[in-house]
Amino acid sequence: MKDIFQELFGSAEGMRAFRAPGRVNLIGEHTDYNLGFVLPVALDLATTVAMATTRDGILRIYSEHRQEMRQWNVKDVEGLSPAHDWSDYPIGVARELIQAGFPIQSANLLIASTVPEGSGLSSSAALEVSSALAFLHGRTLHPMELALLCQRAERNFVGMPCGIMDQYISVFGRSSCAVEIDCRSLGHRLVALPAGITFVAVNTMVKHALASSAYRERVAECAAAVNALRQQFPGVESLRDASPAQLAAVAPKLSGVVARRARHVVTEDVRVGRFVEASVAGDLPDMGRLMLESHLSLRDDYQVSCQELDFLVDAAMKIDGVYGSRMTGGGFGGCTVTLLRADAAPAFKAQISAAYQARFNVTPLVYACRPSDGAAEL
Ligand code: GAF
């Protein structure tokens, strides 16, 4: 990275590099903004931002993936409007840092990433968190504040009303464990994964372009369900608080769509708890069943799947050694995650690729999900 930095900016003096991982979510989808539970794993796919301060008053950011350089006067950063491209992530973070009392210095930044974009593996949060660490350049910010600040950047500047899962796991990920996050208390516990198994992500190669507007709609539909629930059960402040029985009681007052959205969230929260118990007990068939139930609920009730994701899940379930499979992330494309015996992974990769290629004439990328640590300086 130092060589590229030197070549791009003429000097790599004082360069420091910061890494933040992408994630795969094992279960608990579209529950984070309903203040429920999620169970992601930080991956060894990560974004690295290298930075060196300069004295010319200019902030330059180069994206290796896009092969694009952007530059701004540092003093203008606070007042910038979104450009609706990749630069909104680091600039959104820079603005939040300024507002939090961390002035942005004149600097050169180089972004490099192995997290595939638009694939449901959280390339956005990896970019936000690694950019924030680069801008901080050794200044300390509490890890929870770091995650929340990056979430604010995405909500306020990028304009995506996301929950906290992606930024949280990018900061707090741990190698060898999944992390169960309580999205209301913002506490977490580490969940050991059974021996002899592995998780594999398969990329439909469909970029989730529809996701942003559909995501917004889902957030609004969940809020509508909470409003109706509250009239009858004043203690319900978010779907996290609603039991299946309470939801059934108000269902006749909800539109069919809103009732289905709420049913997904309420049942998904229950599945996260059961999945964690099954993981601790090493009950692989139960873990697999819960993943499949999650997928069907996302497909039928939450309606955020697509034919490519459904195909991959169905095809995975027919392959030897597979316990369960589901879409992961926001949906409308991106990846599935599959739980399988570790020794079955090579054959799984070959068979799922061949099946997808035969059906869609597209070669899917397949990633071994290796749990990794959260963001840090390299
Ligand atoms: C996206 C969002 F950014 C997350 O906050 C989460 O809601 C996820 O979709 C769905 O579970 O990754």
Side-chain angles (χ1 to χ4, degrees):
M1 200 158 195
K2 208 157 193 166
D3 292 351
I4 305 174
F5 199 95
Q6 165 87 40
E7 196 175 311
L8 274 170
F9 300 115
S11 162
E13 208 189 310
M15 187 200 98
R16 294 168 70 174
F18 303 84
R19 167 197 177 275
R23 60 101 188 96
V24 67
N25 188 22
L26 303 185
I27 198 158
E29 217 65 82
H30 290 276
T31 46
D32 61 350
Y33 51 85
N34 290 298
L35 306 186
F37 298 90
V38 292
L39 188 69
V41 173
L43 296 177
D44 64 353
L45 301 170
T47 299
T48 301
V49 178
M51 166 168 159
T53 53
T54 57
R55 287 159 189 271
D56 59 6
I58 305 291
L59 176 65
R60 292 183 196 80
I61 310 185
Y62 184 79
S63 160
E64 192 184 48
H65 175 63
R66 301 294 169 105
Q67 305 218 326
E68 271 174 27
M69 178 80 79
R70 292 293 158 81
Q71 63 176 59
W72 305 263
N73 246 309
V74 177
K75 59 178 174 30
D76 294 339
V77 169
E78 196 174 0
L80 289 173
S81 304
H84 306 292
D85 65 16
W86 62 269
S87 67
D88 287 350
Y89 296 95
I91 293 299
V93 164
R95 284 168 42 103
E96 291 295 338
L97 280 168
I98 295 168
Q99 278 161 34
F102 294 93
I104 296 303
Q105 294 153 283
S106 156
N108 294 327
L109 278 78
L110 162 61
I111 302 168
S113 186
T114 54
V115 190
E117 262 178 44
S119 63
L121 299 182
S122 189
S123 58
S124 310
L127 176 52
E128 289 152 9
V129 175
S130 52
S131 301
L133 289 180
F135 285 130
L136 284 165
H137 220 66
R139 290 175 289 180
T140 27
L141 180 61
H142 187 279
M144 196 59 241
E145 289 306 318
L146 172 64
L148 288 167
L149 183 143
C150 290
Q151 182 197 22
R152 286 202 300 278
E154 182 143 356
R155 293 176 72 103
N156 298 343
F157 199 68
V158 178
M160 163 84 171
C162 64
I164 189 64
M165 168 168 68
D166 299 352
Q167 294 80 10
Y168 193 114
I169 189 66
S170 191
V171 172
F172 289 98
R174 284 281 281 275
S175 59
S176 76
C177 290
V179 180
E180 185 190 17
I181 305 167
D182 177 335
C183 298
R184 169 175 279 153
S185 74
L186 298 181
H188 70 252
R189 66 168 161 154
L190 302 179
V191 177
L193 298 167
I197 55 105
T198 191
F199 290 91
V200 173
V202 184
N203 194 340
T204 58
M205 313 306 281
V206 177
K207 298 238 166 141
H208 52 196
L210 270 178
S212 168
S213 56
Y215 192 95
R216 209 175 298 283
E217 270 168 37
R218 301 299 181 280
V219 172
E221 287 157 354
C222 291
V226 170
N227 270 338
L229 277 155
R230 237 193 206 147
Q231 323 246 313
Q232 209 163 323
F233 306 103
V236 173
E237 285 173 9
S238 74
L239 284 179
R240 148 76 174 273
D241 303 314
S243 67
Q246 288 174 327
L247 189 57
V250 298
K253 294 186 195 144
L254 302 175
S255 75
V257 167
V258 169
R260 289 210 303 278
R261 305 296 190 247
R263 183 168 62 185
H264 164 71
V265 175
V266 170
T267 58
E268 184 79 351
D269 266 335
V270 174
R271 280 189 287 273
V272 176
R274 286 174 54 201
F275 188 90
V276 169
E277 278 168 28
S279 186
V280 171
D283 188 341
L284 297 166
D286 207 31
M287 290 169 78
R289 254 190 311 275
L290 289 160
M291 288 176 79
L292 204 55
E293 276 177 28
S294 167
H295 183 75
L296 299 181
S297 177
L298 288 157
R299 185 191 73 184
D300 300 335
D301 278 350
Y302 222 61
Q303 295 181 296
V304 289
S305 189
C306 62
Q307 58 164 340
E308 292 86 353
L309 286 165
D310 295 340
F311 176 85
L312 282 177
V313 168
D314 289 345
M317 293 312 297
K318 294 180 190 135
I319 297 176
D320 179 51
V322 170
Y323 292 101
S325 186
R326 57 182 288 276
M327 55 154 277
T328 187
F332 298 101
C335 289
T336 58
V337 58
T338 298
L339 166 63
L340 72 164
R341 272 197 342 259
D343 64 0
F348 170 81
K349 181 176 175 178
Q351 288 174 41
I352 200 89
S353 301
Y356 195 74
Q357 172 81 42
R359 171 70 178 79
F360 294 106
N361 202 21
V362 171
T363 307
L365 288 172
V366 179
Y367 317 94
C369 298
R370 281 182 284 268
S372 87
D373 284 330
E377 182 163 8
L378 285 177

